[in-house]
Amino acid sequence: MTSSTTPRPGRNEPCHCGSGRKYKQCCLPKDEAEAATARAAAAAEAGPAAADASSATSAAPKHKTQQPWKAATSRGFVPRSTAPRKMGGG
């Protein structure tokens, strides 16, 4: 992929098209859509070999540890007692 020769303005800077609006409210969505299209075209051009390489680097499954206290409770839920919060006269 090639990068554009002109840097994009910051989100809160005036838009480069001259509308006087902020870049994030004017041309940012259009520029992001163009960049997404360019990335999709580059991925399609690379072919299925690149997709296989990215899926081959996925993380290994987590190691199972012995944690008997986790099996006894239901996600840490402790039922509230039925006694009122305050007792006695007052």
Side-chain angles (χ1 to χ4, degrees):
M1 279 181 24
T2 59
S3 62
S4 62
T5 56
T6 58
R8 287 183 5 185
R11 289 175 51 85
N12 291 322
E13 293 179 8
C15 187
H16 55 80
C17 70
S19 66
R21 298 173 70 190
K22 288 184 179 182
Y23 176 66
K24 67 181 178 183
Q25 296 174 342
C26 187
C27 291
L28 178 65
K30 179 185 69 163
D31 290 347
E32 285 181 344
E34 288 176 3
T37 305
R39 284 192 304 271
E45 191 175 286
D52 292 340
S54 65
S55 65
T57 59
S58 63
K62 287 188 172 183
H63 175 71
K64 301 288 183 182
T65 59
Q66 295 294 331
Q67 298 175 347
W69 62 90
K70 284 195 172 183
T73 61
S74 171
R75 294 187 179 256
F77 176 73
V78 178
R80 182 178 259 182
S81 66
T82 56
R85 297 179 90 191
K86 293 184 178 180
M87 299 185 78

